[in-house]
Amino acid sequence: MTVKTIDQPGTLVEQARDLKEANEPAISQGNLVLAGVGGQGIIMASNIISLACLESGLDVKKSEVHGMSQRGGTVVSHVRFGHEVHSVMLEPKQAEWIIALEWEEGLRFLEYLKPGGVAFMSTERRIPPTAFADRLGGKIDYALGAGVPRGVVPVDTYAVAGEAAAERPVIAQTVLLGALSVDMGLSQETWREAIAATVPPKAVQANLIAFENGRTWYERWKKTTGSKLGSSVKANDIQQPEGVSPGVSLGGSSNGPSASASASVKDWRGGAPRIEVIRDWCKGCNICVIVCPERVLSLDRFDIVVASKPDRCTACGLCARLCPDMAIEIWVDTPAHVGTGGE
Amino acid sequence: MRLIQGNEACAEGAIAAGCRFFAGYPISPSSEIAEAMARMLPRHGGVFLQAEDELASLGAVLGAALGGTKAMTATSGPGFSLMQEHIGYGYLAEIPCVVVDVMRGGPSTGLPTQPSQGDVMQAQWGSHGDRAAVVLAPVGVQEVYDLTIQAFGLSETLRMPVTLLFDEVVGHMREGVDLAMDDPMTFGGRPRPSQPAGPSFRPYKANAAGVAELPDFGRGYRFHVTGLMHDERGFPTTDTSVVAALLERLENKAQAAKELVTPETYLMDDATLVLVAYGITGRTAKAAVDALRSRGIRAGLWRPRLLWPVQDEMLRGALQNAEMVVVAEMNRGQWAREVERVTTGSAILRPLLVAGGATITTEEMVGHVLDALEAPGIASPDRVSRGGTGPYANRSSAGAVALESKVVE
Amino acid sequence: MSTVMDTDTAVHGAAGGSVAITGKEKRLLRHAMMPHMLCPGCGHGIVLDAMLSVLSERYEDLDNVAFVAGIGCSSRIIGYIDACTLHTAHGRPLSFATGLKLARPDLTVVVITGDGDGLSIGGNHLIHAARRNVDLTCVLLNNEIYGMTGGQAAPTTVLGAYTSTTPLGNTQHPFDAAELAKAAGATFVARSQSYRPQVFGELFSQALDHVGFSFLEVMSDCTEYFGRTNRFGEGADMLMGQARYEPSIDADLARIPTVEPVTIKQPVRPVLPIGVLHRSSRLTLEETLGIEGGRSSGVADGKLDDAVQRMDG
C-alpha cells in the first residue's frame, strides 16, 4: 500500500471534496483515545485508524501505553491527526472520540472526552489486575457501572459483530471502528484498505464484516436511540451482554468507605512508597519477587522478602495482593493538606 | 387427652419443648416424626427441611442450633449409623440438639420394620473416640412425649446432642396422651456467655457445671467452632494436657443427666428377683413381675429411662438385695453387659435376649425366670436365648438351685 | 507488625502521614492465629487476602457474617477470619450452612470448601444446596489435589497427573465444578483464580450480592504436592502459569474448548474460562419456605390448613 503524506496536497483537497460531495463532514483534524485491556487489540485498532488517516493524506501521531499488558493490564493509545501534528499526548477534554474495548477502561478515560464528543464503549467487562488501581490508589477509584454518562455510546460488540464474532476477542475493535467511521468521515474504502493491511490475512473477511456491522448498527442507533436522547444516553439503554441483568452494578461495592482516601492519594503525586514486610509471616515463597514489575524485592539470606530497591516502587500493590502470607503492606506518605480527607 | 401415635407424640413433645427446626430424611419406622414436624413447624414459626440424607439432616440441625434454635432430627438404624460422625461433632463442639432413633432390626438395612433394641450400644459408642452419650428410652407414648421434652432440656442445659431411643412398637403404638406438660422449662436452658465479647472472649471456658457458655452465631460475639480438639479460645490444639482436660470435662458434664432422670421402679422394696428392662420391654416386664408375684416369687422391676450414662450407683443400690437379675432386651445382649458390670455380690445374672424382630411376651419372661429357677413352668420357645454360647452362657446353675430354694420358701 | 493494627485508619492527622495502599483487610484477621498454616506459595492465602479485601470494604466488622467450612487446606482459612466461623466435618459445610441460614436468615453465610471436600465427600450436599437455591455464597478452592492428607488424587485432578495415589498417572476424569453447580441449579456460577485477586474480588462481590445459591470456584495452586509432584515449578511458577486462563467478568466464555490428553501419560491442564459462567433467577429456599426474619410465615394464607385437610382426606 502506498502511503500518502501531506506532501501531496492534491490528495487532501480531493479527499475533502469527495467527502463534501458525499454530504459528510470533511475531517481535517481530530483526536482519539483508545483504551482497553491487554490482548484486546487496542494497538491494532489505533494502527488501523492511523493508517486510514495517512491514506487520507493526514499527518498522524500515535502514543501507546501498554507496559503491563502482558499481565492483562491497561492499554491506552492516543491518536492525533491533522494537517500537521506536533504533540502526541492529549490532555483531558481534548478527544473528539474515545474507543473503549472494555467498559470500565472507557469510564476511566472518559475525562479525555471533549464536550460534545462521542465515546464508543464496548459493554464487555474485564477487570485487569493492575487497573484495580491507578497504580497509586490501591483500588478502582473510578465509578464502576454507574450508568451511562453523557456522550457514551454503549456497544455490545459481540452482538453487533454477529457471526464475525466467532473470531473473538479481537473482532470487537473493528465493530467500534465501524461505528467510528460513520462520524469520522474518511471514505469507507480507505478504512477497508487499512483494515486489510493490518489484521492477519485469515481474519480480514471477518473483520470487514464486523466493520460493516458496526457501521450499520451505529447509523441505525443514531436514528433511533441517539436522536431521541441527543448525545446523552440513559442507563437502561445500555445493552448488556447476554446473561447479565441490566442495572447490575459491577463491583459497585468496591467503592467503599475509603474511596475518599484513595482519591486523596490520587491527587497527590509526590513522595516515595514504603514497603513493610511482616517478617514473621513471610514464608519465602518468592512470588512477590517474581511478580514485582520493577524488581524491587528480593529474598534475604533467611529466605525472607526485603525491599532491596525500594526507590523503584510505584506502589502498584501487586506484591501485597499476591502474597499468600499477607506479609506485605504498601504505604505512601501523604502531604499535609490531604490529611483531613480520611475517615 | 389425645389418642396419638408414639412418633406423633415425639413431634408434639418437640414443639412443646420449643423445637423450631427439624431436618430429616425419610426412613421407616421414624418417618411419621418428620411428617408431623412438617405439618406442625410452620404453624409455630419453625422450619422443616427434608434433607438429601442423614448426614445433611444432622448437619443442618447443628447449624440451626448454633444459630440459636432448638433443633431435632429423627431416623432409624441405618440413618443413625450415618449420623454418628455428626453426633461426635455436636458433642465435641458442644452444640445442643436432639436425635431420635426409632430402632428397627439390624445390622445393615436389616429388618424394616420390625422392632429391635439393637442400637443401644451404638447410641453410646457409635461415634469414634471417647464420648459420653446421653440417651433416653421411653416406655410408651406418654413417655415419648415427656422424655422428648426432657431430652431438649438436657441437651440445652448440657450443650450436647441427646439421643431419644425407642423402637418400632413404641413409635407406631397409639395411646391416650396428656399433652399438658407440667412445666416444659424445668431445665435451666442453654447456657449463654457470661463474659463480654472481645479479643479475650473464651467461648469454650466452662461454667461451674462444666458446660461451655457458647453464644449463638451473629449475636455480637466472634468465635471459632471446630471439630478439632480445641482450647478455651476454640482454636485447634494438640497440647495433650489441654485435650485430656477437654475430654474429661465433656465426660463429666454428661454425668449430670444421672441426677436429672429417674428410673421407674416397681415392687422393688422386697424384690429378690429383679427384672431389668427398658423401652417396650419394660412394659412386658411389669406384667411379668405381677405374674411372678402371683406365683409367690418376690419379683420387682427396675426400668431405666436413662440408658446412658448408666446410673451405676442407683442400679447397684437397686440390685443390692437381688439374688437373681434378669435383663430382658430385644438384642443379643447389650445393656445386659452394663448390668453385669454394675452388679456386685452374689446375684445371678440370667439375661433374656431376643433378637430377630419379635417382641418379648410376658409369658416368655415368666417362663424364662421359671426356667432359670429350674422350676417346672412354661417352656420358652427356641428363639429365646437362655445364654447359650453368648457372653452369659456360664453363670453357676448351682447358684440358681440355691436361689430357687430361697425364693420359694 | 505494629503498623498492622492501624491499617484501617487510612490517613493520619492533618499534618500529613501515611496511607496504607494495601493491608486494610488485615483488621479482619485473627492476629493471634497468624502466620497461617498454609505452605509457602499456597494460593489459598491469596484468596483469603482477596476475600478479606472485599469484606473490609463492605463491613466494619464481621459480626453478622458467618463462615462455614469443611475439612482440608481450603477450609482451614476460616480460622484466620475474625468472624463467626464454623469448621465442620469433612464434606458437610453446606449442610451446616443450610441449617444456620434457615434458622438465621439475618446472617450472611459464606461457605468455604475445597475440591475434595465439596465435590467428592460433599458432592451430594453441593448439588442439593444448588437445587434448593438456598441463599448461600459457596467458595470452592480448587487446588486439584488433596493437600492436607499428603497429595492424593482428587475428583478434580486431571487425567494423567501424578499424585501419591496415582504413581502411574491419574486414571480418572476430573469434574468441572462450575458446570456441575450450574447443572444442579445454582443461580450464580463463576470461576476465578488466585492469580487475579481483583477478578476474584469482583466475582466474590457479585456472589455476595446475588440472592440465591452462588457458587464461585477459585483455581488455586498446591505448590507442595501438586506442583512438586508434577514438576510445575515453585509457587511463583505455578502462579504465573495461571495466566493461561482467559479472564473476563461477564463474557460468555463457555465456548473455550477443553483440551483432553491423548493418553494418560500426557497430563494436560485445561484452560478454563474465568468469569461469570451462569446467572439466573428463581425462588430461593427461604422464599419457598416463607421465611421472614427467621420466622416461617408459610401458614399466614391458610395454605397449610388446606394442604393438611387434603392429605387427611
Side-chain angles (χ1 to χ4, degrees), chain A residues 3 39 69 110-111 114 119 138 151-152 191 199 206 212 219 243 248 262 270 287 311 330 336:
Chain A
V3 175
S69 60
L110 214 52
E111 61 171 325
K114 199 181 234 179
V152 170
W191 280 107
V199 304
E212 196 53 46
E219 279 169 347
V248 171
S262 67
I287 284 177
D311 49 319
I330 307 296

Side-chain angles (χ1 to χ4, degrees), chain A:
Chain A
M1 181 185 295
T2 50
V3 175
K4 298 167 188 171
T5 69
I6 52 167
D7 295 326
Q8 298 166 287
T11 313
L12 181 62
V13 173
E14 282 166 26
Q15 186 74 53
R17 191 171 58 238
D18 287 348
L19 289 170
K20 210 165 192 174
E21 281 170 9
N23 200 21
E24 284 176 329
I27 300 301
S28 56
Q29 60 99 26
N31 303 294
L32 290 116
V33 171
L34 294 94
V37 176
Q40 282 193 312
I42 300 292
I43 303 305
M44 192 174 278
S46 61
N47 282 347
I48 292 171
I49 296 172
S50 303
L51 199 53
C53 289
L54 286 176
E55 278 286 345
S56 306
L58 298 165
D59 185 19
V60 178
K61 292 262 192 300
K62 177 171 98 108
S63 76
E64 297 170 10
V65 178
H66 53 100
M68 297 293 282
S69 60
Q70 70 274 26
R71 282 183 271 268
T74 298
V75 177
V76 63
S77 177
H78 292 186
V79 177
R80 308 193 68 192
F81 61 90
H83 297 296
E84 194 175 352
V85 181
H86 296 290
S87 168
V88 65
M89 295 302 288
L90 290 171
E91 298 291 332
K93 295 190 197 298
Q94 278 194 346
E96 278 83 3
W97 298 283
I98 288 177
I99 301 286
L101 295 183
E102 200 274 344
W103 183 256
E104 315 297 352
E105 288 300 304
L107 293 179
R108 243 154 74 82
F109 289 96
L110 214 52
E111 61 171 325
Y112 283 89
L113 194 65
K114 199 181 234 179
V118 179
F120 299 95
M121 284 164 48
S122 170
T123 53
E124 187 185 350
R125 284 168 166 166
R126 305 180 183 194
I127 304 293
T130 48
F132 194 77
D134 55 350
R135 300 202 82 200
L136 269 181
K139 61 170 53 65
I140 303 168
D141 60 350
Y142 46 85
L144 277 172
V148 180
R150 194 173 178 83
V152 170
V153 178
V155 189
D156 183 350
T157 44
Y158 296 127
V160 174
E163 282 176 16
E167 299 238 16
R168 61 178 299 277
V170 192
I171 207 79
Q173 46 161 338
T174 333
V175 172
L176 297 183
L177 292 183
L180 172 71
S181 71
V182 175
D183 277 0
M184 213 171 127
L186 305 182
S187 85
Q188 278 206 58
E189 198 45 43
T190 316
W191 280 107
R192 290 172 159 276
E193 278 177 27
I195 289 168
T198 311
V199 304
K202 63 179 179 179
V204 170
Q205 199 50 41
N207 272 284
L208 290 178
I209 293 169
F211 178 81
E212 196 53 46
N213 288 354
R215 194 176 163 88
T216 317
W217 176 84
Y218 183 51
E219 279 169 347
R220 198 167 58 239
W221 188 91
K222 276 178 90 166
K223 285 192 191 111
T224 55
T225 318
S227 65
K228 264 190 299 189
L229 302 167
S231 56
S232 75
V233 187
K234 287 210 181 80
N236 54 10
D237 288 316
I238 184 166
Q239 297 171 22
Q240 291 284 356
E242 198 181 345
V244 181
S245 48
V248 171
S249 170
L250 183 117
S253 55
S254 291
N255 289 330
S258 51
S260 58
S262 67
S264 306
V265 176
K266 190 191 166 199
D267 292 341
W268 178 69
R269 299 290 179 195
R274 196 168 75 250
I275 303 157
E276 289 191 359
V277 176
I278 306 171
R279 291 182 63 87
D280 288 347
W281 294 11
C282 173
K283 299 192 182 102
C285 70
N286 209 41
I287 284 177
C288 57
V289 176
I290 301 286
V291 300
C292 175
E294 314 298 339
R295 300 286 180 264
V296 172
L297 304 162
S298 59
L299 295 185
D300 66 11
R301 63 198 176 91
F302 303 107
D303 267 359
I304 304 290
V305 67
V306 288
S308 47
K309 296 188 172 66
D311 49 319
R312 289 190 191 175
C313 177
T314 63
C316 73
L318 211 52
C319 55
R321 294 274 162 219
L322 290 173
C323 172
D325 299 319
M326 304 170 78
I328 304 176
E329 280 171 32
I330 307 296
W331 292 64
V332 294
D333 293 333
T334 51
H337 72 272
V338 185
T340 50
E343 58 260 72

